Short mmCIF file of all heavy atoms in Angstrom, two decimals:
data_model
loop_
_atom_site.label_atom_id
_atom_site.label_comp_id
_atom_site.label_asym_id
_atom_site.label_seq_id
_atom_site.Cartn_x
_atom_site.Cartn_y
_atom_site.Cartn_z
N GLY X 319 84.06 127.93 94.66
CA GLY X 319 84.99 128.52 93.69
C GLY X 319 86.38 128.59 94.25
O GLY X 319 87.35 128.11 93.65
N PHE X 320 86.47 129.16 95.45
CA PHE X 320 87.77 129.27 96.11
C PHE X 320 88.37 127.89 96.32
O PHE X 320 89.54 127.64 96.02
CB PHE X 320 87.59 129.99 97.45
CG PHE X 320 88.68 129.76 98.43
CD1 PHE X 320 89.88 130.44 98.32
CD2 PHE X 320 88.51 128.84 99.46
CE1 PHE X 320 90.90 130.21 99.22
CE2 PHE X 320 89.53 128.61 100.35
CZ PHE X 320 90.73 129.29 100.24
N SER X 321 87.56 126.95 96.87
CA SER X 321 88.09 125.64 97.22
C SER X 321 88.59 124.90 95.99
O SER X 321 89.68 124.32 96.01
CB SER X 321 87.01 124.79 97.89
OG SER X 321 86.44 125.52 98.94
N ILE X 322 87.81 124.94 94.90
CA ILE X 322 88.22 124.20 93.71
C ILE X 322 89.50 124.79 93.13
O ILE X 322 90.43 124.07 92.80
CB ILE X 322 87.08 124.19 92.66
CG1 ILE X 322 85.94 123.31 93.19
CG2 ILE X 322 87.58 123.68 91.32
CD1 ILE X 322 84.68 123.37 92.38
N THR X 323 89.55 126.14 93.07
CA THR X 323 90.76 126.76 92.55
C THR X 323 91.97 126.33 93.38
O THR X 323 93.01 125.96 92.84
CB THR X 323 90.65 128.30 92.60
OG1 THR X 323 89.37 128.65 92.12
CG2 THR X 323 91.72 128.94 91.77
N ALA X 324 91.83 126.37 94.69
CA ALA X 324 92.95 126.03 95.55
C ALA X 324 93.37 124.57 95.34
O ALA X 324 94.54 124.24 95.20
CB ALA X 324 92.59 126.27 97.02
N VAL X 325 92.37 123.67 95.29
CA VAL X 325 92.69 122.25 95.15
C VAL X 325 93.33 121.98 93.79
O VAL X 325 94.34 121.29 93.69
CB VAL X 325 91.43 121.38 95.34
CG1 VAL X 325 91.68 119.95 94.91
CG2 VAL X 325 90.99 121.42 96.80
N VAL X 326 92.77 122.57 92.73
CA VAL X 326 93.32 122.33 91.39
C VAL X 326 94.75 122.87 91.30
O VAL X 326 95.65 122.21 90.80
CB VAL X 326 92.42 122.98 90.31
CG1 VAL X 326 93.12 123.00 88.97
CG2 VAL X 326 91.12 122.22 90.21
N THR X 327 94.95 124.08 91.84
CA THR X 327 96.28 124.67 91.81
C THR X 327 97.29 123.72 92.44
O THR X 327 98.33 123.41 91.87
CB THR X 327 96.28 125.99 92.61
OG1 THR X 327 95.31 126.84 92.03
CG2 THR X 327 97.63 126.64 92.59
N LEU X 328 96.96 123.25 93.64
CA LEU X 328 97.90 122.37 94.34
C LEU X 328 98.03 121.03 93.63
O LEU X 328 99.11 120.47 93.54
CB LEU X 328 97.42 122.14 95.76
CG LEU X 328 97.84 123.22 96.72
CD1 LEU X 328 97.46 122.80 98.13
CD2 LEU X 328 99.33 123.47 96.66
N ALA X 329 96.89 120.51 93.10
CA ALA X 329 96.93 119.21 92.44
C ALA X 329 97.89 119.26 91.26
O ALA X 329 98.65 118.32 91.04
CB ALA X 329 95.54 118.81 91.98
N LEU X 330 97.88 120.37 90.53
CA LEU X 330 98.79 120.49 89.38
C LEU X 330 100.24 120.47 89.84
O LEU X 330 101.07 119.75 89.30
CB LEU X 330 98.49 121.76 88.59
CG LEU X 330 97.15 121.74 87.84
CD1 LEU X 330 96.89 123.09 87.20
CD2 LEU X 330 97.17 120.65 86.78
N GLY X 331 100.52 121.28 90.87
CA GLY X 331 101.90 121.34 91.37
C GLY X 331 102.35 120.01 91.94
O GLY X 331 103.42 119.50 91.60
N ILE X 332 101.52 119.43 92.79
CA ILE X 332 101.90 118.17 93.43
C ILE X 332 101.93 117.04 92.39
O ILE X 332 102.82 116.19 92.41
CB ILE X 332 100.94 117.85 94.59
CG1 ILE X 332 101.15 118.87 95.71
CG2 ILE X 332 101.17 116.45 95.13
CD1 ILE X 332 100.17 118.76 96.84
N GLY X 333 100.98 117.08 91.45
CA GLY X 333 100.95 116.06 90.41
C GLY X 333 102.22 116.07 89.58
O GLY X 333 102.82 115.02 89.34
N ALA X 334 102.64 117.25 89.15
CA ALA X 334 103.85 117.35 88.33
C ALA X 334 105.05 116.81 89.09
O ALA X 334 105.82 115.99 88.60
CB ALA X 334 104.08 118.80 87.90
N THR X 335 105.20 117.28 90.34
CA THR X 335 106.36 116.86 91.13
C THR X 335 106.32 115.36 91.41
O THR X 335 107.34 114.68 91.31
CB THR X 335 106.38 117.62 92.47
OG1 THR X 335 105.99 118.95 92.22
CG2 THR X 335 107.74 117.59 93.08
N THR X 336 105.14 114.86 91.76
CA THR X 336 105.04 113.45 92.11
C THR X 336 105.30 112.56 90.89
O THR X 336 105.94 111.51 91.02
CB THR X 336 103.66 113.13 92.70
OG1 THR X 336 103.41 114.06 93.75
CG2 THR X 336 103.61 111.73 93.27
N ALA X 337 104.83 112.99 89.72
CA ALA X 337 105.08 112.20 88.51
C ALA X 337 106.57 112.05 88.27
O ALA X 337 107.07 110.95 88.04
CB ALA X 337 104.42 112.86 87.31
N ILE X 338 107.28 113.16 88.36
CA ILE X 338 108.72 113.10 88.12
C ILE X 338 109.38 112.30 89.24
O ILE X 338 110.28 111.49 89.02
CB ILE X 338 109.33 114.52 88.04
CG1 ILE X 338 108.63 115.31 86.95
CG2 ILE X 338 110.81 114.44 87.78
CD1 ILE X 338 108.76 114.74 85.56
N PHE X 339 108.89 112.50 90.47
CA PHE X 339 109.49 111.75 91.58
C PHE X 339 109.26 110.26 91.42
O PHE X 339 110.12 109.45 91.76
CB PHE X 339 108.93 112.25 92.91
CG PHE X 339 109.56 111.57 94.09
CD1 PHE X 339 110.86 111.85 94.47
CD2 PHE X 339 108.87 110.60 94.81
CE1 PHE X 339 111.45 111.20 95.52
CE2 PHE X 339 109.45 109.95 95.87
CZ PHE X 339 110.74 110.26 96.23
N THR X 340 108.08 109.87 90.88
CA THR X 340 107.81 108.45 90.62
C THR X 340 108.92 107.87 89.75
O THR X 340 109.44 106.78 90.01
CB THR X 340 106.47 108.28 89.88
OG1 THR X 340 105.45 108.87 90.68
CG2 THR X 340 106.14 106.83 89.67
N LEU X 341 109.29 108.62 88.71
CA LEU X 341 110.32 108.13 87.80
C LEU X 341 111.69 108.17 88.44
O LEU X 341 112.48 107.22 88.31
CB LEU X 341 110.32 108.96 86.51
CG LEU X 341 109.00 108.94 85.76
CD1 LEU X 341 109.10 109.72 84.48
CD2 LEU X 341 108.59 107.50 85.46
#
Side-chain angles (χ1 to χ4, degrees):
Chain X
F320 159 79
S321 308
I322 290 171
T323 316
V325 169
V326 168
T327 303
L328 276 187
L330 290 174
I332 292 174
T335 320
T336 308
I338 303 298
F339 183 73
T340 303
L341 301 183

